[in-house]
């Protein structure tokens, strides 16, 4: 069983990487899609059509299949090693994974709105939203690697600091872009 577990773990990690790439790039495309809405015609309609097509392909070919395969591999790992479910760190990890799944489906809703020409988010709001996946990824990795409650306290403090740094960086980048006239 140990050998199977390692193969499934490798598959799990590969699809986590693919899923995260899809989430990161997908929200970046949402930003470009939103910014294209303020372009003059015919550039606007050409870009909106292209971003809708690219995003839909990314979502249906990479992001969603990778999410499904990540969950299947994770479930198989727990099936092979059910003792993980008795570990408190696994409960924390699964909580973050549920948050990441909610994030995925929330992004899917944004994608569908953009395809219909509904722009509820500004590009700056989407830039901040894009960092949520990063924060969840960091939280999951540190939870899995550290595993102990004492380390969680330091990890939580680090996660809060990391989140604050990311949010400040996004705001600084916005100021920089505004100064450049973008």
């Amino acid at each position: 069983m140990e050998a199977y577990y390692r193969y499934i773990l490798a598959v799990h990690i590969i699809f986590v990487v693919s899923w995260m790439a899809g989430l990161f790039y997908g929200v970046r495309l949402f930003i470009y899609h939103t910014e294209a809405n303020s372009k003059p015609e015919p550039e606007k309609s050409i870009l909106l059509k292209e971003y809708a097509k690219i995003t839909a392909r990314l979502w249906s070919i990479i992001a969603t299949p990778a999410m499904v395969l990540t969950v299947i591999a994770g479930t198989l790992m727990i099936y092979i090693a059910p003792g993980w479910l008795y570990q408190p760190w696994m409960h924390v990890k699964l909580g973050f994974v549920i948050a990441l799944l909610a994030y995925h489906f929330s992004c899917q809703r944004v994608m569908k709105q953009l395809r219909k020409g509904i722009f509820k988010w500004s590009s700056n709001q989407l830039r901040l939203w894009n960092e949520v996946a990063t924060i969840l990824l960091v939280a999951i990795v540190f939870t899995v690697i550290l595993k102990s409650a004492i380390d969680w306290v330091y990890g939580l403090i680090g996660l809060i600091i990391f989140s604050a740094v990311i949010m400040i960086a996004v705001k600084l980048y916005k100021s920089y872009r505004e100064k450049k006239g973008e």
Side-chain angles (χ1 to χ4, degrees):
M1 270 314 199
E2 176 69 26
Y4 292 120
Y5 183 86
R6 290 183 187 276
Y7 283 109
I8 294 168
L9 175 60
V11 167
H12 181 69
I13 292 169
I14 290 165
F15 285 110
V16 166
V17 170
S18 300
W19 182 21
M20 295 308 299
L23 289 174
F24 293 146
Y25 187 52
V27 179
R28 176 58 50 189
L29 287 172
F30 298 167
I31 294 165
Y32 300 151
H33 196 144
T34 300
E35 290 174 347
N37 194 43
S38 62
K39 302 279 185 193
E41 288 294 350
E43 184 181 8
K44 174 183 175 177
S45 57
I46 293 168
L47 287 172
L48 291 178
K49 182 179 176 185
E50 192 61 22
Y51 285 131
K53 181 175 74 174
I54 293 168
T55 306
R57 285 181 181 167
L58 171 71
W59 217 256
S60 63
I61 296 171
I62 297 172
T64 299
M67 175 203 65
V68 169
L69 292 169
T70 296
V71 171
I72 289 171
T75 303
L76 284 172
M77 288 166 46
I78 290 172
Y79 176 76
I80 291 170
W84 288 129
L85 286 175
Y86 299 103
Q87 301 297 318
W89 66 268
M90 180 57 81
H91 301 156
V92 174
K93 178 200 175 187
L94 292 175
F96 287 130
V97 169
I98 289 168
L100 191 58
L101 287 165
Y103 177 83
H104 177 97
F105 290 112
S106 178
C107 288
Q108 186 169 307
R109 187 177 68 247
V110 171
M111 178 192 66
K112 288 178 180 179
Q113 290 170 345
L114 292 173
R115 289 183 76 190
K116 292 178 183 175
I118 301 168
F119 296 86
K120 292 184 175 182
W121 298 56
S122 70
S123 62
N124 192 53
Q125 289 171 321
L126 288 167
R127 279 184 173 80
L128 290 170
W129 183 243
N130 198 28
E131 301 310 325
V132 172
T134 304
I135 293 165
L136 289 170
L137 174 63
V138 168
I140 291 167
V141 169
F142 273 93
T143 300
V144 170
I145 299 300
L146 298 176
K147 290 184 176 75
S148 82
I150 300 250
D151 290 333
W152 290 346
V153 173
Y154 294 120
L156 182 59
I157 292 167
L159 184 61
I160 291 167
I161 292 168
F162 179 71
S163 300
V165 167
I166 285 178
M167 298 307 163
I168 290 167
V170 168
K171 295 212 180 261
L172 289 173
Y173 181 67
K174 179 185 178 189
S175 296
Y176 169 77
R177 285 186 61 201
E178 287 173 351
K179 286 180 185 173
K180 278 185 66 175
E182 290 183 13

